Amino acid sequence: MNGEPATTGRQFVIEREHFDQLFELLARKGYRVVGPRIRDGAIVYDQVNSAADLPAGWTEEQEGGKYRLKRREDEALFGYAVGPHSWKKFLHPPNVRLWQAMRKEGSLEVQEEKQEVPKTAFIGARSCELHAIAVQDRVFMNGPYLDTSYRLRRDSVFIVAVNCGCAGGTCFCVSMNTGPKATSGFDLVLTEALEEGRHYFVAESGTETGAAVLAELSQRPAEDREIRSAEEVVARTAGQMGRTMDVSDIKGLLYANYEHPRWDNVAARCLTCGNCTSVCPTCFCTTVEDVTDLSGQKAERWQKWDSCFTMDFSYIHGGSVRSTPKARYRQWMTHKLATWIDQFGTSGCVGCGRCITWCPVAIDITEEVRAIRESDFRRTKRDRHGDTGTDSG
Amino acid sequence: MPQKPKVAVWKFASCDGCQLTLLDCEDELLALAGEVEIANFAEASRAIAKGPYDLSLVEGSITTPHDAERIHQIRRASKFLVTIGACATAGGIQALRNFRNVNEFISIVYATPSYIETLSKSTPIAEHVPVDFELRGCPIDKGQLLEVISAFLNGRKPNTPRHSVCIECKRRGVVCVMVAHGTACLGPVTQDGCGVICPGCQRGCYGCFGPKETPNTRSLSGWFGDLGMKEQEIVRVFRTFNAGAEPFRRESEAHEH
Ligand code: SF4
Ligand code: SF4
Ligand code: SF4
């Protein structure tokens, strides 16, 4: 069947022993291939040259503030959830030089930054991550100001998505309606199936480019039974979510509870370290740093990942607007879950669970929402006839 | 051509490591010599040009009555005074004396204790004279030192953020040692600037750059306890190069019973 055009919407089967072809093909087509691999005790996203670089037979245990690699009983290539990295590191890199300027004979010469963006293939993007990419697309490309360098990187990407075969201990995509099945935003999507002595992928293309790639691989149309197996994989994962979050009327809830005592409680634990924002695949904030050389002949402007947890972030002439940890945590969570909807039309949270796992002190956004909901001011006000027990903030 | 700014490097109680960072700037040293006149730098030359100095870099803490006098002379002779390193900004490792009676140490360490004239505490320069800028680190980072000098020469603010080590750790894609290995790390309460040396080679941060802005040491040491650290060990992690820095001092004392 090799060579038969694979059309969008139809499902195909690629046997595990033919899976390496995907890497060879993408490399031949000029892509830098990046995907999951093990480094320093975690599954990170980095260059992968073949299927042998993938974390075959590995999974992980995830809890608030805790991540540990573990062996699986099979040789699944994608048998884990998301790790500390997200595709943000490729699409919205942490350090970007914006321009340089030189002094030339008494005047200033500004050099625009040359954009050299390699064609890049993402292997193993999850459904929540595709939603996160879509969120950043809105921020960088759909607003009044287009981020041209994001646009360039975004346009050079080929995405091979994977439907999750297991959920992590901090995952809650089902609550956020962002997974575990990828429904859009990919060129190709795979479901990994392992059953008595068989290991294969059910594949479907989402774009013309994806269909063309699929057509060049060794595949054959999937049988009904294989399609059903793939569906079962996703259904099983959906039933394994480590966390849940009730997002009903989330804007109303958070806007009515700015002075809830829970913000003081979380502020006592929060380190304002910024890890949550750095690992979050939708957080996009940056700062700019201007540097000069010793002679003052050359200057550069750099864009760097920033975080709403730093004091500088809200520094306006003479002081920080959000000087207390309470104000900073409240800003982050309220923006993520509520004001984001007003601003961009979607939630800023895709339920990937990274901020929970990678918070050094296990602060859990789902727990914080639950705690506020349990003693929602609006309800307690009704219950106690106006005695709300507010704090002073 | 206008006169080159005069730069002086001064030493108080310290190991010289921070001054040596300046010598370590091999590639940039010539460029630096082109922009400034090094008026006093004992580690590099014995020549001492007379003040006043445009920029004084001060290393070391104040531990003797004589030094407590000398820093005032230097301040008077300096237009701009920058302290460099944990000794100068927090009292250094020698501030461990602040937690005990210094006379006991003297009687144990020196053959003739009566020869020793010392203060009961090791204190940062800023406790004695006004300081224009404090550059953290044990030792300071070469890139940050050049950044501060370059900012001074170009009349701008240096880029030396006061946020956590974690911010830079994540920018570099380092896997968090605390979350992935259960290794205690001071990164969440420590100021960025070192280039994430320790987590970058899978060790916990030792806090060489001192407390970050709004450090929540209480929450972090609670977590250290959950990771299995004993009270005495928590005292120790906060009592190294920046033991005298207020938030670290308070935290270590809270665990001393
Ligand atoms: S919630 Fe956790 S990760 Fe985020 S700033 Fe606070 S301590 Fe750091
Ligand atoms: S807020 Fe947390 S769970 Fe939601 S997308 Fe960001 S990192 Fe993932
Ligand atoms: S390794 Fe240390 S510095 Fe790095 S993110 Fe983790 S806690 Fe922060």
Side-chain angles (χ1 to χ4, degrees), chain A residues 16 55-58 71-78 192 194 199:
Chain A
R16 166 67 184 88
W58 285 96
R71 278 310 293 189
R72 288 173 63 93
E73 279 163 13
D74 58 26
E75 286 298 305
L77 297 180
F78 298 98
E192 184 172 33
L194 290 120
H199 187 175

Side-chain angles (χ1 to χ4, degrees), chain A residues 97-100 111-117 152:
Chain A
R97 186 165 59 199
L98 299 176
W99 49 260
Q100 307 181 60
Q111 276 182 10
E112 236 185 278
E113 204 52 31
K114 278 210 195 65
Q115 308 274 359
E116 274 158 24
V117 176
L152 265 176

Side-chain angles (χ1 to χ4, degrees), chain A residues 136-148:
Chain A
Q136 291 211 327
D137 285 354
R138 279 169 186 260
V139 174
F140 291 124
M141 305 200 299
N142 298 356
Y145 307 104
L146 172 74
D147 183 325
T148 48

Side-chain angles (χ1 to χ4, degrees), chain A residues 267-274 309-311 323-325 328 361, chain B residues 136 162-166 185-192 207 209-221 238 242 245-252:
Chain A
R269 288 172 284 134
C270 178
L271 308 167
T272 61
C273 61
F309 282 92
T310 75
M311 289 283 273
S323 57
T324 62
R328 282 176 264 163
V361 289
Chain B
R136 300 277 197 83
R162 302 217 44 215
H163 58 224
S164 66
V165 175
C166 303
C185 179
L186 281 179
V189 296
T190 299
Q191 183 169 308
D192 178 21
F209 278 58
K212 79 169 192 56
E213 61 190 15
T214 65
N216 191 346
T217 52
R218 179 51 48 91
S219 169
L220 186 63
S221 47
F238 284 103
N242 286 283
E246 191 57 15
F248 286 4
R249 180 189 64 74
R250 257 188 286 117
E251 194 57 37
S252 74

Side-chain angles (χ1 to χ4, degrees), chain A residues 179-226:
Chain A
K181 187 176 165 57
T183 51
S184 65
F186 52 81
D187 294 287
L188 267 185
V189 63
L190 310 170
T191 310
E192 184 172 33
L194 290 120
E195 52 199 35
E196 305 98 59
R198 266 196 82 201
H199 187 175
Y200 62 95
F201 296 92
V202 175
E204 194 182 327
S205 58
T207 59
E208 293 281 313
T209 335
V213 166
L214 190 50
E216 286 187 56
L217 299 172
S218 301
Q219 33 69 9
R220 58 163 173 76
E223 290 167 17
D224 284 351
R225 160 180 76 75
E226 290 160 335

Side-chain angles (χ1 to χ4, degrees), chain A residues 128 171-181 241 243 350-352:
Chain A
C128 63
C171 288
F172 57 105
C173 63
V174 167
S175 302
M176 303 313 286
N177 204 15
T178 54
K181 187 176 165 57
M241 292 290 124
R243 294 287 196 279
V350 297
C352 71

Side-chain angles (χ1 to χ4, degrees), chain B residues 10-13 58 61-78 81 117 119 123-125 127-130:
Chain B
W10 308 98
K11 176 187 159 66
F12 288 81
V58 179
S61 69
I62 304 294
T63 54
T64 66
H66 173 242
D67 279 353
E69 277 302 310
R70 192 161 61 99
I71 188 60
H72 284 278
Q73 292 164 16
I74 291 171
R75 176 69 266 190
R76 275 196 296 276
S78 311
L81 190 150
E117 193 184 19
L119 299 168
T123 44
I125 302 296
E127 279 192 23
H128 300 262
V129 295

Side-chain angles (χ1 to χ4, degrees), chain A residues 62-179:
Chain A
Q62 296 200 41
E63 254 317 312
K66 188 175 177 196
Y67 178 104
R68 292 291 184 279
L69 284 178
K70 271 186 2 197
R71 278 310 293 189
R72 288 173 63 93
E73 279 163 13
D74 58 26
E75 286 298 305
L77 297 180
F78 298 98
Y80 38 85
V82 294
H85 290 183
S86 72
W87 308 101
K88 169 168 105 169
K89 73 179 245 195
F90 302 109
L91 292 171
H92 175 48
N95 302 295
V96 177
R97 186 165 59 199
L98 299 176
W99 49 260
Q100 307 181 60
M102 329 279 165
R103 260 192 237 282
K104 285 255 166 74
E105 288 138 22
S107 75
L108 216 56
E109 186 185 296
V110 175
Q111 276 182 10
E112 236 185 278
E113 204 52 31
K114 278 210 195 65
Q115 308 274 359
E116 274 158 24
V117 176
K119 274 169 69 179
T120 305
F122 294 173
I123 305 289
R126 307 308 176 100
S127 179
C128 63
E129 301 186 302
L130 301 176
H131 279 88
I133 293 171
V135 167
Q136 291 211 327
D137 285 354
R138 279 169 186 260
V139 174
F140 291 124
M141 305 200 299
N142 298 356
Y145 307 104
L146 172 74
D147 183 325
T148 48
S149 74
Y150 179 86
R151 177 63 180 267
L152 265 176
R153 285 187 290 268
R154 186 67 179 90
D155 287 346
S156 344
V157 161
F158 180 86
I159 299 181
V160 180
V162 167
N163 288 323
C164 291
C166 67
T170 56
C171 288
F172 57 105
C173 63
V174 167
S175 302
M176 303 313 286
N177 204 15
T178 54

